[in-house]
Amino acid sequence: MSTFMGYRRANGEAGIRNHLLIIPTVICSNQVCSRITQLVPDTVAIPHQHGCSQIGADKDRTFNVLAGTGRNPNVGGVIIISLGCEVVDPIALAEAIKETGKPVEVFDIQSVGGSVKAIQHGVELAKRMREQLDREQKVEIPLSELRVGVKCGGSDATSGLASNPALGVAADRLIEQGGSIVIGETTEIIGAEHVLAGRCRTPEISDQLYHIVDRFEKEVERMGADMRGGNPSPGNIAGGLTTIEEKSLGCISKCGTAPIEGIVEYAEELPGKGLYFMDSPGNDIECVSGMAAGGAHIVCFTTGRGTPTGSAVIPVIKITGNKQMYERMTDNMDVDVSDMLSGTLSLEEAGGRIWEEIQEVSRGKLTKAEILGHQEFSINRIGPSL
């Protein structure tokens, strides 16, 4: 049986990393959180611009993304730092994360006496919690427990011809092992949604897929915009993509051939095994952050133009079919499948190369984004600020 090395959590889940996560509930506590990570090694913060002046579903989304990120199995412990007067309830956030059984500490800057005292207090908590996490040992975990997100960004013609279909082969292999794949980017399937709808397990799931596409298009229309004005992007067009349909057909190939088991909302926890579609924007960092909040262990990210995007709590594997870009940006790229285009590497061989990288990363190998310290994090907004 194939396995990876992971940390078994109190709730039975397993993580491939053991992060100590510092969560600001609001933009006002970003600096304190960031300063603590500078002073305590092997900690990561997720600064963001939200948490205040939000209402309704928009406020709930911020809460859910923060909670989901803290609940991600790659996170071993959490420190939540609030200002003390924001709309995101830090105690409720702590309780949502504590349900997993991992250690969670929470305090607010106003109560401890300002930024300096808050940094001092946070450093003391972080050092103690980091020491506790460092004593945890890795154990063998079946690959059937692995959850991988598939994402593309900075696409060009090589994405649809090489890296995306190769990733699809790797996605199929994980699902054959009993694992889970999540694909997102609602904006990136427009024009090809009928292809994915035909792969849905039930008519009800197919209807859900059409619903989220229609919902997005109506929102774009409400804003007085046209999808054709922003998709494909200028970079996509310069890379040889000319229509939404062309881009979308390449995009959907990266999730392989398995049936779609369900549709989940942005940052919603994946409910089971197999292939799922997450309603998310095409924006690289917002999409990856949503997948992390949904419980993905890894994101495989194909790119032809080149992008350094990483993630705060999950490894991001960069894959390309563009040889020239790979040679220019080798600092950022993990897997090169460009030999597919010269005919010297088969689709199955390219997919096998990605599949091997997924397994190595799950067993502890650092991605280029991790080595370079890319810890991007962003929350998708759905409403105005008050």
Side-chain angles (χ1 to χ4, degrees):
M1 179 178 65
S2 298
T3 61
F4 65 90
M5 299 304 296
Y7 298 92
R8 183 62 75 183
R9 304 302 181 196
N11 64 349
E13 292 209 348
I16 64 171
R17 300 292 186 263
N18 203 22
H19 293 298
L20 172 51
L21 179 64
I22 317 294
I23 300 180
T25 57
V26 65
I27 187 173
C28 306
S29 52
N30 281 352
Q31 177 60 16
V32 167
C33 293
S34 296
R35 186 64 179 136
I36 292 167
T37 64
Q38 292 168 3
L39 295 170
V40 183
D42 297 323
T43 59
V44 58
I46 48 173
H48 57 89
Q49 67 186 75
H50 310 302
C52 194
S53 302
Q54 291 181 275
I55 55 173
D58 195 50
K59 178 188 73 173
D60 294 340
R61 170 158 292 182
T62 294
F63 181 96
N64 291 337
V65 174
L66 295 178
T69 307
R71 292 171 64 93
N72 185 285
N74 288 354
V75 174
V78 177
I79 298 174
I80 298 169
I81 303 175
S82 74
L83 176 60
C85 55
E86 61 272 28
V87 299
V88 171
D89 184 339
I91 302 303
L93 183 62
E95 291 302 318
I97 297 172
K98 282 181 180 178
E99 291 175 356
T100 63
K102 65 186 66 175
V104 180
E105 297 283 352
V106 57
F107 68 91
D108 72 80
I109 296 168
Q110 292 169 345
S111 294
V112 299
S115 293
V116 174
K117 291 183 177 66
I119 292 168
Q120 293 171 336
H121 183 59
V123 165
E124 292 172 3
L125 290 175
K127 286 180 177 178
R128 288 201 299 269
M129 195 175 290
R130 186 66 262 175
E131 289 174 1
Q132 177 184 342
L133 295 179
D134 288 341
R135 290 193 292 269
E136 297 180 1
Q137 299 296 313
K138 285 186 173 183
V139 297
E140 281 195 314
I141 309 291
L143 272 175
S144 59
E145 296 190 35
L146 197 63
R147 298 187 292 263
V148 174
V150 293
K151 169 81 177 78
C152 56
S155 300
D156 69 357
T158 70
S159 298
L161 292 172
S163 54
N164 283 347
L167 178 53
V169 170
D172 282 344
R173 292 195 185 181
L174 178 59
I175 290 178
E176 288 168 5
Q177 292 278 339
S180 303
I181 293 288
V182 58
I183 181 173
E185 303 176 278
T186 307
T187 57
E188 310 287 302
I189 69 168
I190 293 174
E193 63 267 38
H194 61 290
V195 179
L196 286 183
R199 290 172 49 188
C200 290
R201 177 72 73 178
T202 67
E204 291 76 19
I205 297 171
S206 177
D207 288 343
Q208 282 182 279
L209 183 69
Y210 281 123
H211 168 70
I212 63 172
V213 171
D214 181 64
R215 180 173 65 184
F216 177 80
E217 290 193 285
K218 285 179 177 175
E219 182 62 16
V220 172
E221 290 172 4
R222 187 185 69 82
M223 297 291 290
D226 181 355
M227 276 294 297
R228 279 78 185 161
N231 203 4
S233 71
N236 296 152
I237 294 169
L241 297 175
T242 59
T243 66
I244 292 178
E245 292 80 7
E246 193 174 70
K247 183 177 180 182
S248 295
L249 286 167
C251 172
I252 64 174
S253 67
K254 65 181 181 283
C255 68
T257 59
I260 295 175
E261 305 293 343
I263 310 298
V264 295
E265 294 290 342
Y266 180 75
E268 183 180 351
E269 187 173 349
L270 299 181
K273 304 289 188 180
L275 173 63
Y276 288 85
F277 187 92
M278 177 178 286
D279 181 23
S280 66
N283 178 275
D284 295 343
I285 300 169
E286 290 184 1
C287 180
V288 172
S289 297
M291 289 176 171
H297 294 98
I298 296 170
V299 164
C300 289
F301 192 120
T302 63
T303 180
R305 301 283 294 173
T307 173
T309 300
S311 171
V313 299
I314 61 177
V316 178
I317 299 172
K318 289 296 169 49
I319 304 156
T320 188
N322 185 322
K323 175 65 75 175
Q324 292 178 328
M325 188 278 290
Y326 179 79
E327 292 174 349
R328 284 198 315 271
M329 297 186 65
T330 186
D331 288 348
N332 302 101
M333 298 297 115
D334 297 288
V335 183
D336 176 18
V337 296
S338 61
D339 289 340
M340 286 179 64
L341 301 178
S342 64
T344 58
L345 184 72
S346 71
L347 175 61
E348 286 297 319
E349 289 170 335
R353 189 175 291 180
I354 297 169
W355 175 232
E356 288 300 318
E357 188 74 9
I358 290 171
Q359 293 179 79
E360 288 185 28
V361 170
S362 72
R363 292 167 185 152
K365 178 183 178 180
L366 297 180
T367 64
K368 297 287 185 68
E370 289 180 289
I371 292 168
L372 293 171
H374 280 282
Q375 299 175 342
E376 285 81 8
F377 175 80
S378 183
I379 302 171
N380 176 244
R381 286 290 300 262
I382 54 176
S385 296
L386 295 180

